[in-house]
Amino acid sequence: MNKLELVEALREEAGITKNESEVVVNMVFDEMSNAMANDDRVEIRGFCSFYIKQYKAYTGRNPKTGEKVEIKPKKLPFFKFGKELKERVDK
Amino acid sequence: MPLTKAQLVESIHNQIGLTKNKSAEIVETCLEIIKSTLESGEDVLISGFGKFCVREKKERRGRNPATGSAMILAPRKVVTFKCSGKLKDMINGK
């Protein structure tokens, strides 16, 4: 399922217009992105949570050429799925 | 302050002017659609955000960290998240 299909499914199930549905879906993911960009956690009960993990700089290697490369410090989102989703997916 | 469902409801209420009750219902419906899609084993791809994937884990030997005794972990299904390049750049302030 992609974003368009999600918008369509939400429009149908919630009985709202396509435009509203699109605004809602975009907003949900934009808000999550913004929170993470601000280093905030995201906690959606029953679905998932995200927090930002900070990685230090390290010297890596290009696996193809074996060349040494400097990896800069970076931040990545760490995803944890919620209890309800966990139980429902693993049945 | 972590972002919670209440805040999503508040934003939708402000943005489209639906009542708070209706906004809450829509957020729940939206999450429910994603959850049941994952439940059916289908991945959910949100462009610009990331991809929620369902992965099958094989049975493996594990250890109870508390007692140290060996045990067999049953095969199971988990949900993983692959962050999109756009979100990664946003988080790293690019």
Side-chain angles (χ1 to χ4, degrees):
Chain A
M1 175 182 260
N2 59 29
K3 197 150 102 178
L4 269 178
E5 290 164 330
L6 175 60
V7 167
E8 185 52 29
L10 180 63
R11 181 195 65 77
E12 219 175 285
E13 284 200 33
I16 50 179
T17 67
K18 191 176 176 221
N19 197 16
E20 285 170 334
S21 178
E22 214 173 323
V23 171
V24 170
V25 170
N26 281 330
M27 184 166 284
V28 167
F29 293 104
D30 284 352
E31 291 253 333
M32 289 199 215
S33 307
N34 285 333
M36 288 191 257
N38 286 329
D39 272 350
D40 279 335
R41 296 171 59 99
V42 176
E43 282 174 21
I44 310 293
R45 209 60 54 190
F47 179 54
C48 71
S49 66
F50 290 98
Y51 69 90
I52 301 297
K53 246 184 169 173
Q54 175 93 47
Y55 293 85
K56 285 186 198 135
Y58 62 95
T59 316
R61 264 177 201 280
N62 181 332
K64 241 185 223 153
T65 62
E67 219 176 304
K68 275 190 185 170
V69 264
E70 204 59 48
I71 311 284
K72 289 189 186 126
K74 61 185 169 187
K75 290 189 258 183
L76 285 176
F78 189 80
F79 168 80
K80 224 177 140 181
F81 60 142
K83 194 165 172 245
E84 189 206 331
L85 181 59
K86 192 174 184 169
E87 285 164 359
R88 284 176 61 179
V89 167
D90 187 34
K91 269 188 317 195
Chain B
M1 268 289 284
L3 174 72
T4 58
K5 244 184 254 179
Q7 243 168 299
L8 294 177
V9 171
E10 187 72 34
S11 304
I12 287 162
H13 165 71
N14 290 336
Q15 184 84 15
I16 353 187
L18 293 164
T19 63
K20 281 217 182 137
N21 273 338
K22 182 76 183 159
S23 306
E25 201 187 302
I26 291 172
V27 171
E28 278 307 336
T29 308
C30 181
L31 295 173
E32 180 52 39
I33 293 167
I34 300 175
K35 284 189 271 190
S36 36
T37 305
L38 293 169
E39 192 180 349
S40 74
E42 196 188 329
D43 295 347
V44 177
L45 171 70
I46 308 294
S47 57
F49 186 75
K51 188 177 176 189
F52 299 94
C53 305
V54 182
R55 301 198 58 174
E56 306 238 9
K57 294 271 191 184
K58 288 199 192 115
E59 180 185 276
R60 67 181 171 92
R61 240 171 237 278
R63 248 171 219 289
N64 179 336
T67 64
S69 59
M71 55 195 277
I72 303 287
L73 297 177
R76 63 205 167 100
K77 280 192 198 164
V78 296
V79 178
T80 58
F81 176 74
K82 178 92 176 75
C83 169
S84 92
K86 213 171 141 195
L87 177 60
K88 207 195 284 174
D89 287 347
M90 238 179 115
I91 290 169
N92 286 288
K94 275 182 210 155

